[in-house]
Amino acid sequence: LVKRVSIHDIAREADVSITTVSHALNGKGRIPRATRERVRGVAERLGYRANFQARGLALGQYTTLAVQVGGLQAEALVPDFQYFVELLNAASETALELGFGLVLAPAGTDAGVLKNLAMGGAIVVDPTGEEALLRQDDAPVVTTGRVPGGSADGAWVDNDHREGTRRVLDHFVQTGRSRPALLTTSARQSYVDDAVAEYTRWCRERDLEPIVGRITGNPTEAAAAPVVGELLSRRPRPDAIYTTLDRMALGAILACRDRGIAVPEDLGIAAITDSLALRSTTPPVTALNLNAPEIGRRAAELLVALVRGDDPATARVVVPANLVVRESTSAGS
Amino acid sequence: LVKRVSIHDIAREADVSITTVSHALNGKGRIPRATRERVRGVAERLGYRANFQARGLALGQYTTLAVQVGGLQAEALVPDFQYFVELLNAASETALELGFGLVLAPAGTDAGVLKNLAMGGAIVVDPTGEEALLRQDDAPVVTTGRVPGGSADGAWVDNDHREGTRRVLDHFVQTGRSRPALLTTSARQSYVDDAVAEYTRWCRERDLEPIVGRITGNPTEAAAAPVVGELLSRRPRPDAIYTTLDRMALGAILACRDRGIAVPEDLGIAAITDSLALRSTTPPVTALNLNAPEIGRRAAELLVALVRGDDPATARVVVPANLVVRESTSAGS
DNA sequence: ATGAAAGCGCTAACAG
DNA sequence: CTGTTAGCGCTTTCAT
């Protein structure tokens, strides 16, 4: 039903051989301008669309890619929605442009389906290291974020979270704060490791004791509140909080409101990733714009290159993040 | 790289023809038990996986399906994350089991790629009516939720939101409340229409003036607050709020906290869809469990049936929802 | 009961 | 420059 016209139809209509059609359409071979135009015209007129599967079969290539989102179990954790949507959308769009369909691979997906569906490779978003698609040495895998404790030879696209963390912490200092705390989760993902590592280093450099709060379980706003409370009871009391998920920043705001702590006067707040939610709180929250669409795009491009055996110059892509300053870190008291 | 062993390999190894292999593996023809077992054994030993694309080519069938999430633009709205993840995961899992890959189709996706990628059909989640994949009469389309104002002849999977709404409202009454308000968005999706329609009907039946608050723009918690404030200033003041997104219930809780309104004593709150976030607030929020995985599963099954031309008995599937009662609607004052 | 052969839509030698 | 041919992995008549 979906697929109707084939190159045969075009060949007949244009009165040439299917080879000529193929060449004309793909810009291969030496075909006179006139013929090429004519063939293309006919193809257009007939609404021709190449069948990628057939092409893939002929070429021994693959036409689909798999995506798996790390740490997403059946009972979903609640990570930063907007980030994933943007990333996935962009990755899919790019893949489609390059002639690949991006297939959703749920957490439990057996790596075997990669073969069934002629999937050429996989993207694993924010891997924890447990994902089935990771152990898959038949096909190339690109991760978004690095595999925690993984071997050095993987292909990945990532922000420089160490630099980002530094940028946020320095921003706290520039706005008159000196004792930032870190609010994070127990997720085993590289951005968490990076943030913690850099935060710790930054503190040590300044002879400050690191103040790290960890949410266990689901990182909802509500779950953040008690941990924030705990952080704020430390002495010396932190005057800023950097959170490792956007929703946790919301939780921090709530906790402050409950305790009568003024933001940004008494406490500065910044989040590792920006979202619409952070824009519409009171006060709006400063955050890193991780550039999720760019991450998705680059991941798709990298994977396609790998699948095609192009052996890309760089299998490690760093996507720049930029700090979006909002009221939650206005100059403090 | 990915695909190695083909039926030829098995044929050679088992010393039969490829025809026999195909038959043995697919349970076709009349093959003696012994041969069949042997062939299957070899296939297993060699780690054989059928190539769906090749099979599709031979059979003139399709091997992929597209999914598009309604109202998801580049600049993402922030709908109920968990709902979509669960739905998409289940749909994908089911599709995979049935031999189809579920390909993500970003908002802008041209319907033409359906042809390119040999996509047999599409699932559109919560359509607004604007989605490109909807206008696609070459291939079957299943929607999750109905197309607002759409023709009656579409295939869909949906909850009975009118019944769900009634259930929530009746529950309000059973817990001693009599003036429920509705908090919703301006999204043009059928569940919103259903909720509003049923709420209005329910009110009229009881000679109550409907009290409807609408959030325009992004339905974040923060955006909900002022609208809730407005609702609570109505006279007679509503004593319960039913929200059409889980996050808006959180917004309602916040707004109440700010205003010193006690939940559930002064105001009952319930949401149209359950989520982890609703479980961990103070107080936990009563909600309908829409059974997102079941919706995804049924949508995938229905679409596959349609693609295969099975002409399913019912092209309208209603998935039951159940009310999860929590503290936010404990017996009121 | 089993296999040879054709063909799905496409591309890539290789001839002409 | 263009067409013929073979073949990608698989299924399916149709012979044997």
Side-chain angles (χ1 to χ4, degrees), chain A residues 16-17 19-20 31-32 35 57-58:
Chain A
V16 291
S17 78
T19 308
T20 304
I31 310 243
T35 317
L57 230 203

Side-chain angles (χ1 to χ4, degrees), chain A residues 4-83:
Chain A
R4 311 297 317 284
V5 322
S6 78
I7 52 175
H8 288 102
D9 302 315
I10 301 179
R12 195 175 339 102
E13 193 84 0
D15 201 40
V16 291
S17 78
I18 59 167
T19 308
T20 304
V21 174
S22 176
H23 283 175
L25 259 26
N26 298 315
K28 296 288 181 67
R30 285 153 285 287
I31 310 243
R33 236 190 138 70
T35 317
R36 168 157 302 167
E37 308 261 291
R38 184 160 49 89
V39 170
R40 291 204 163 147
V42 173
E44 178 119 14
R45 186 155 54 73
L46 264 44
Y48 171 77
R49 283 292 189 140
N51 181 332
F52 286 0
Q53 324 277 33
R55 171 183 295 165
L57 230 203
L59 257 34
Q61 281 175 176
Y62 308 98
T63 54
T64 49
L65 269 18
V67 231
Q68 192 160 66
V69 176
L72 256 198
Q73 309 308 326
E75 170 97 335
L77 284 180
V78 184
D80 294 313
F81 176 53
Q82 200 176 333
Y83 176 82

